[in-house]
Amino acid sequence: MSGPFDGKRVLLGVSGSIAAYKAIDIASKLTQAGAIVNVLMSPAATHFVTPLTFRSMTHQDVVTDLFDLHSRQAIEHVALAKDADVLIVAPATAHTIAKLALGLADDPITVTALATSAPLVIAPAMDANMWHHPAVRANADLLVSRGATIIGPGEGRLASGLMGWGRLAETPEIIGAIATALGAHGDLAGRTIVVSAGGTQEAIDPVRVITNRSSGKMGYAIAEAARDRGASVVLVTAPTSLNDPSGVDTRHVESASDMLSAVLSACEGADAVIMAAAVADYTPTHPAADKVKKSATDELSVHLTKTVDILSATPRNLVRVGFAAESTNLIRYAQTKLEAKALDFIVANDITVPDSGFGADTNKVTIVSHEGVEDLPMMSKYGVAVEILDRIVARLAAKR
Ligand code: CTP
């Protein structure tokens, strides 16, 4: 299953900051994800990292000097600019940001930025005082007003040894911002998709909860795949160990009741809702205000009350998709849920299949709808997300 970077031509501009070494990881991750990455370096960047490092990492030409008449790169950078799907400048120094804002063109990054019509993503890295300087603020604002995306900088320890805002955004955030820029005109552009993820936690007392084995990976993959096709995504997530996906409006909840309010509020004005969360069907009726102490009796029971079915409560004008994790009678149970919750379709997975379902990075699912039953092969959770979204796109088009 192809991801958002498969075969995409990414130009990675590296300017002269100590954070230039982090661009090696960005180049590596993009290449591993299937992108064709050409690195463009400012002369100052070559003092921090060698072109050979990027060449070895990407297996593609690295452009360092536009004025060397003996270099192929001097001519090729125009072709690179023309064919690019996205230009990312990471790290972007205050100086490079100023040149980009003014339209100056005296190094491979700034010349290419003028020559390309591809979207521009900028990941600044500098000292905190520089980032807050009115000149830098104005240049960054100007670039945003022209359609550029600025990702970061983050807060943390800077090269100066001080703490502050100026650290290059983390690689996953930068990769997410590039995916968002690449997908901006995808087939979900202008659509709002609500996704839930993770296993809800129902409090027994202030320290103990009833929860389940959901890792949240499936819901997060759907949120990312929808973002990568241009959707505005609201991810309502129960606690997981995953990082918030970049470019996704992530709302954290704990219990089924919190999730109900968050999902219903996100559904206002949305086009589709996909409930990938494993929502508790029952919650402790009277959670204790204080920690429950061990007592002399050998048994203890917790009285539970049924939760509200969130999917059933979502507005019927949205495309509505559920999940059914089953260990027996997969299709029959999925069909019952499809009917009971009046869904467009349900994604059923047999949790007894190895490498599928809870915690795994892959999933083997069957899509059950009123039109029939489709068995999909084992694939990555991102791949399953793409399949789900393909069907949502078709349903949204049919609704028009
Ligand atoms: N779901 C929901 N609200 C709940 C419980 C479940 O929205 N209170 C959603 C889940 O997110 C999932 C679908 O309903 O998309 C099916 O969940 P599941 O728990 O498998 O179905 P139930 O109808 O609760 O049936 P059972 O637990 O008996 O299998």
Side-chain angles (χ1 to χ4, degrees):
M1 187 72 250
S2 67
F5 293 106
D6 222 28
K8 289 286 192 282
R9 295 192 166 271
V10 178
L11 300 181
L12 171 59
V14 181
S15 63
S17 151
I18 177 62
Y21 78 91
K22 295 184 180 172
I24 301 168
D25 188 39
I26 300 169
S28 165
K29 294 284 186 322
L30 289 168
T31 306
Q32 283 171 37
I36 302 154
V37 183
N38 284 101
V39 175
L40 317 164
M41 300 180 77
S42 71
T46 61
H47 294 296
F48 292 98
V49 191
T50 73
L52 182 63
T53 309
F54 288 116
R55 176 87 176 76
S56 315
M57 197 61 81
T58 63
H59 312 292
Q60 301 293 329
D61 284 337
V62 176
V63 186
T64 54
D65 184 358
L66 299 176
F67 308 108
D68 175 3
L69 289 180
H70 303 292
S71 156
R72 233 165 25 114
Q73 304 167 352
I75 303 156
E76 278 189 353
H77 82 274
V78 178
L80 289 178
K82 191 170 141 291
D83 295 340
D85 292 303
V86 65
L87 167 61
I88 157 82
V89 185
T93 58
H95 188 62
T96 294
I97 289 174
K99 288 197 286 183
L100 290 169
L102 279 174
L104 298 182
D106 67 346
D107 66 44
I109 304 169
T110 49
V111 168
T112 309
L114 290 186
T116 187
S117 53
L120 173 62
V121 179
I122 298 168
M126 64 195 72
D127 188 65
N129 285 342
M130 293 170 82
W131 176 243
H132 293 305
H133 192 284
V136 178
R137 306 259 26 87
N139 288 332
D141 290 347
L142 182 60
L143 287 163
V144 170
S145 74
R146 292 207 296 252
T149 303
I150 300 216
I151 180 78
E155 192 183 19
R157 194 180 169 79
L158 304 173
S160 58
L162 301 174
M163 299 295 285
W165 292 94
R167 266 174 79 91
L168 184 70
E170 298 300 325
T171 302
E173 278 181 83
I174 294 175
I175 301 281
I178 305 170
T180 307
L182 281 171
H185 302 293
D187 55 8
L188 283 171
R191 299 293 192 178
T192 300
I193 309 286
V194 180
V195 186
S196 71
T200 60
Q201 295 188 352
E202 309 301 318
I204 296 172
D205 68 13
V207 269
R208 302 174 180 101
V209 294
I210 298 179
T211 188
N212 58 69
R213 295 186 197 277
S214 170
S215 66
K217 286 181 183 173
M218 190 62 242
Y220 278 58
I222 298 169
E224 288 176 355
R227 170 202 70 194
D228 297 346
R229 290 165 83 150
S232 296
V233 184
V234 181
L235 172 64
V236 178
T237 178
T240 71
S241 61
L242 307 171
N243 293 324
D244 289 4
S246 168
V248 168
D249 176 357
T250 306
R251 303 179 188 175
H252 294 268
V253 297
E254 281 188 9
S255 65
S257 149
D258 299 341
M259 186 169 273
L260 172 71
S261 338
V263 167
L264 292 188
S265 122
C267 280
E268 280 170 34
D271 297 285
V273 55
I274 308 161
M275 285 290 299
V279 185
D281 289 328
Y282 292 89
T283 188
T285 314
H286 301 294
D290 295 312
K291 188 181 166 199
V292 176
K293 301 300 288 176
K294 192 161 43 189
S295 70
T297 51
D298 284 345
E299 286 181 10
L300 175 72
S301 44
V302 179
H303 193 266
L304 303 175
T305 305
K306 199 178 234 171
T307 59
V308 174
D309 192 283
I310 303 173
L311 250 184
S312 300
T314 56
R316 302 283 155 118
N317 60 323
L318 274 68
V319 172
R320 296 158 63 251
V321 179
F323 271 76
E326 310 289 353
S327 55
T328 53
N329 298 319
L330 181 70
I331 307 299
R332 190 160 61 76
Y333 283 145
Q335 277 164 339
T336 311
K337 289 175 189 177
L338 175 79
E339 298 293 340
K341 305 187 191 208
L343 304 177
D344 284 83
F345 61 90
I346 191 153
V347 184
N349 68 307
D350 180 344
I351 54 170
T352 63
V353 172
D355 299 325
S356 182
F358 292 150
D361 290 319
T362 48
N363 212 352
K364 162 127 193 42
V365 303
T366 303
I367 295 193
V368 180
S369 70
H370 296 283
E371 287 79 51
V373 173
E374 291 174 84
D375 241 330
L376 300 183
M378 175 80 79
M379 56 179 93
S380 68
K381 286 191 169 169
Y382 190 92
V384 172
V386 168
E387 294 286 338
I388 293 168
L389 293 170
D390 283 348
R391 285 158 182 80
I392 289 179
V393 166
R395 275 164 202 270
L396 287 171
K399 275 194 168 190
R400 260 208 193 120

